[in-house]
Amino acid sequence: MDLNLLNTFMKVYELQSYTKAAEHFNISQAAVSMRIKQLEADIANTLFIRKGRSIEPTAHANYMMTKLAPASDLVYEALFKVGHKIYAPDLLVYDLANLDIDVFTPPLNQEQIFTDIRNRKVDLVLDFVTINDPSVVSEKVSEEEVMVAVRQDHPRIVDSITEQEFYNERHVSINVRREKSNLFMLLSDAPKPRDIAHEATSLVSQLAYVAHTDAISITPKRLAAIATKLGVKLLACPMKMNKAPISMLYHRSFLHNDEHIKLRQKVKNKISLRN
């Protein structure tokens, strides 16, 4: 079926006038009338009836609009709306949840992330990763302070923790997307061996494990609200820890793209509100 017939029908239905629909499409009233007659012939149903000098939709026309209106919105969105796909860790995904952006967990394989950037399969990546690649732009957008996560009713740790106590406890580790590295090793100037009780797949699952065991972990301060809801308290680190750098990575072809510039600024503004 010719989609022009459906477009004409919906505009006539909206305006309740062949004349106004003709003006909208910049065609003659006769052409509009011909399209409606063709559509009526195709579906074997009358769509509009004359009522004085105006027209009125039939029951079948009313039914058609209940189905066509939402379908038309979907078609318009698919053709004209600029959609964006972002990779972001759970550290940031909750901050980005209310933006009109599709946010996905980054692939576990670091090289896959870079491949997706190079192939334009993702518009933006937010993560602890960096890359030295002429086709990829890397901007540091945040530095996250880290703290020690401990369950609120821990039997040995109350309101503070010493370095000795830190290393005496079992730990939950969270890997970052760098080969054979985890968050603690990445940020500590002089990391010592720890007793690893569990390797978590995400920062939130790491906190969930802490909430149900005596194990402790290193976690970004940004997750304090979620930690509290899980029954976890965050304490100051007893040793010097560097801040966790979050980088924004994207393909260089997007550098001067107006829509992408708006996307980057929107993401930066949202992250900075909690930074």
Side-chain angles (χ1 to χ4, degrees):
M1 179 179 289
D2 186 350
L3 291 181
N4 284 326
L5 302 183
L6 295 178
N7 287 333
T8 302
F9 160 72
M10 288 189 288
K11 185 55 64 175
V12 171
Y13 186 98
E14 175 192 344
L15 300 175
Q16 299 288 290
S17 169
Y18 284 20
T19 301
K20 291 179 180 178
E23 291 173 354
H24 173 81
F25 290 115
N26 196 27
I27 58 177
S28 67
Q29 182 177 333
V32 170
S33 179
M34 186 179 299
R35 289 182 184 181
I36 296 299
K37 288 180 179 179
Q38 180 61 56
L39 181 57
E40 289 176 329
D42 289 346
I43 65 175
N45 265 291
T46 301
L47 295 173
F48 300 100
I49 57 175
R50 289 285 178 183
K51 191 173 183 179
R53 301 184 67 176
S54 61
I55 59 172
E56 186 175 273
T58 64
H60 190 78
N62 289 331
Y63 173 77
M64 282 179 58
M65 278 303 294
T66 64
K67 303 298 182 182
L68 288 173
S72 177
D73 291 341
L74 288 174
V75 170
Y76 181 87
E77 181 175 332
L79 293 176
F80 302 109
K81 183 177 179 181
V82 178
H84 295 294
K85 179 179 180 179
I86 288 181
Y87 288 157
D90 51 358
L91 168 68
L92 302 173
V93 72
Y94 303 101
D95 294 330
L96 302 175
N98 294 324
L99 298 180
D100 188 18
I101 299 172
D102 294 325
V103 184
F104 297 86
T105 301
L108 293 176
N109 184 284
Q110 177 173 303
E111 187 53 42
Q112 184 61 53
I113 295 176
F114 300 144
T115 298
D116 288 351
I117 293 175
R118 296 185 191 104
N119 293 335
R120 281 54 147 215
K121 291 184 176 181
V122 63
D123 297 290
L124 205 62
V125 173
L126 296 166
D127 213 339
F128 298 110
V129 300
T130 56
I131 183 175
N132 184 19
D133 186 316
S135 68
V136 178
V137 178
S138 177
E139 301 178 28
K140 187 168 70 173
V141 294
S142 174
E143 287 190 325
E144 304 293 330
E145 180 183 351
V146 294
M147 304 186 77
V148 180
V150 182
R151 70 181 173 93
Q152 290 179 354
D153 56 348
H154 196 281
R156 292 174 295 279
I157 303 170
V158 185
D159 296 325
S160 63
I161 183 172
T162 67
E163 183 172 351
Q164 185 62 51
E165 290 171 332
F166 178 86
Y167 284 107
N168 284 345
E169 298 294 333
R170 304 197 75 197
H171 291 248
V172 186
S173 175
I174 179 74
N175 290 332
V176 294
R177 289 168 179 82
R178 295 184 185 180
E179 295 297 328
K180 299 179 181 179
S181 182
N182 59 57
L183 190 60
F184 178 71
M185 293 174 62
L186 179 66
L187 302 179
S188 176
D189 287 336
K192 299 177 183 177
R194 297 175 299 156
D195 183 5
I196 304 299
H198 175 66
E199 288 190 356
T201 57
S202 71
L203 290 163
V204 173
S205 66
Q206 179 190 48
L207 288 175
Y209 191 93
V210 169
H212 292 86
T213 68
D214 289 346
I216 65 175
S217 71
I218 292 291
T219 195
K221 186 178 180 180
R222 184 183 286 263
L223 293 177
I226 294 175
T228 299
K229 291 179 181 179
L230 291 173
V232 174
K233 56 189 175 185
L234 300 187
L235 306 176
C237 290
M239 72 287 291
K240 183 181 182 303
M241 296 287 292
N242 299 309
K243 291 185 177 182
I246 300 293
S247 295
M248 174 186 287
L249 300 97
Y250 54 93
H251 196 274
R252 188 166 296 279
S253 63
F254 293 137
L255 186 60
H256 302 296
N257 180 283
D258 289 340
E259 286 297 327
H260 202 274
I261 291 172
K262 293 177 184 178
L263 169 67
R264 300 196 304 267
Q265 192 58 54
K266 184 161 54 172
V267 169
K268 288 177 184 177
N269 289 344
K270 194 68 173 179
I271 292 175
S272 65
L273 289 176
R274 292 277 306 277
N275 194 17

